[in-house]
Amino acid sequence: MQILHTIDALRAALPGAGRCAFVPTMGNLHEGHLSLVRQARTHGLPVVVSIFVNRLQFAPHEDFDTYPRTLARDADLLRSAGANIVFAPDEAELYPQPQTFKVQPDPALADILEGHFRPGFFTGVCTVVMKLFQCVQPQVAVFGKKDYQQLMVIRQMVRQFALPITVEGADTTRADDGLALSSRNGYLSEAERQQAIALSQALRFIADRVRLDPSSLAQAESEATDELRAKGWAPDYLTVRRRTDLLPPAADDLASPLVVLGAARLGTTRLIDNLEF
Ligand code: PAF
């Protein structure tokens, strides 16, 4: 496995445009990331993994400075997962000048949910992913479904810019108790970690209630939100949406495939999760 830090070295090592599978990450890897690498490997192409903590997608009050940088450990994990190339540029390499050209996603999709609570987040994500796509030129790119809205925004970007890349979603990897794996789980205290499962339980509660009685949607959302709050969480949203566009379902959408998405803060840690149903 090669570990490369410059775009020139990456381009020299790649087998040519459209001849690799790609997994973009911000490092501090866990089993969820490794499952993306394993999915990428099923294409029989060399697998490139990028590790880059992208300043553009963090608001000034967020955890950019403290986000764990664990390259040596990440490289060991990626080697054993069968990645071929790790692309780990520093900021000066990927952003040699302030990145004033940006990819501005459709506000209808990108300014709701995560984008509402983290303004500019998806512009930062799209800009870096577009740039990484230009560097890597993959045939396939794999993104986790845990970042459900991110996956949809990237799919739309790829479609609208006619990029010759197949975007694949990979199922969320969960701990034994059901907590979605996330690099930010590492911020939780032991007591918070015990409590963290309450978010996915709240989503399950809403999904089960809505499937049983679609007319109870608003009540299920607000009961689950109140219950999380009573347990000491600060929920941003717990909401059922259409899978096609992440808008609230109309009455006649309620029998079609839906997704319930949630974001809530436990102490200082903000967790997100979702469940298709
Ligand atoms: O999901 C992530 O880890 C990041 O948003 C991504 C896609 C690597 C872009 O920085």
Side-chain angles (χ1 to χ4, degrees):
M1 186 183 80
Q2 291 176 278
I3 303 177
L4 306 171
H5 299 284
T6 66
I7 297 170
D8 283 348
L10 173 70
R11 287 194 169 133
L14 287 170
R19 300 237 184 102
C20 68
F22 179 42
V23 180
T25 81
M26 297 204 302
N28 191 26
L29 303 182
H30 51 68
E31 187 48 39
H33 296 107
L34 302 183
S35 77
L36 306 186
V37 173
R38 285 193 286 271
Q39 181 161 329
R41 285 185 61 195
T42 62
H43 294 278
L45 296 163
V47 172
V48 179
V49 179
S50 65
I51 296 181
F52 181 68
V53 184
N54 173 37
R55 183 187 292 276
L56 295 187
Q57 69 191 73
F58 288 78
H61 65 278
E62 292 183 337
D63 53 344
F64 175 77
D65 289 330
T66 52
Y67 201 89
R69 274 92 168 156
T70 52
L71 181 59
R73 182 179 162 278
D74 292 347
D76 288 344
L77 290 171
L78 290 172
R79 198 172 287 112
S80 49
N84 301 94
I85 295 178
V86 175
F87 177 48
D90 64 13
E91 274 207 290
E93 179 66 16
L94 214 57
Y95 299 134
Q97 304 167 342
Q99 184 70 29
T100 48
F101 281 76
K102 298 206 171 127
V103 180
Q104 190 78 55
D106 177 359
L109 181 60
D111 287 2
I112 58 173
L113 304 168
E114 282 306 280
H116 175 77
F117 287 94
R118 304 182 69 189
F121 171 69
F122 287 116
T123 299
V125 169
C126 287
T127 302
V128 80
V129 171
M130 178 65 97
K131 194 154 187 174
L132 290 167
F133 280 172
Q134 300 309 315
C135 297
V136 178
Q137 297 189 278
Q139 181 180 114
V140 181
V142 185
F143 291 81
K145 278 194 187 176
K146 185 184 147 285
D147 296 293
Y148 200 88
Q149 189 178 4
Q150 169 173 279
L151 173 61
M152 289 186 66
V153 170
I154 298 292
R155 279 192 200 286
Q156 200 180 43
M157 177 180 87
V158 164
R159 252 195 325 269
Q160 291 204 1
F161 284 108
L163 303 181
I165 299 171
T166 302
V167 174
E168 281 187 359
D171 287 337
T172 302
T173 305
R174 296 182 180 276
D176 287 344
D177 66 351
L179 175 67
L181 295 193
S182 161
S183 300
R184 290 190 168 101
N185 292 351
Y187 298 154
L188 298 168
S189 69
E190 224 166 276
E192 287 168 343
R193 173 62 190 83
Q194 299 306 311
Q195 282 234 28
I197 181 57
L199 178 59
S200 72
Q201 284 171 341
L203 300 180
R204 166 61 61 198
F205 167 82
I206 296 171
D208 289 350
R209 278 283 294 278
V210 172
R211 274 293 166 247
L212 213 59
D213 174 11
S215 71
S216 70
L217 187 150
Q219 199 190 336
E221 287 175 348
S222 81
E223 268 179 40
T225 306
D226 290 347
E227 176 139 358
L228 265 193
R229 217 171 261 129
K231 288 179 176 158
W233 292 67
D236 282 344
Y237 58 84
L238 290 176
T239 181
V240 174
R241 297 296 168 108
R242 303 197 292 217
R243 281 195 219 169
T244 45
D245 54 12
L246 296 186
L247 291 180
D252 56 358
D253 293 322
L254 286 169
S256 52
L258 298 170
V259 56
V260 55
L261 303 110
R265 206 172 291 277
L266 183 56
T268 54
T269 308
R270 187 172 181 280
L271 299 179
I272 63 170
D273 199 356
N274 64 79
L275 182 67
E276 289 179 325
F277 67 101

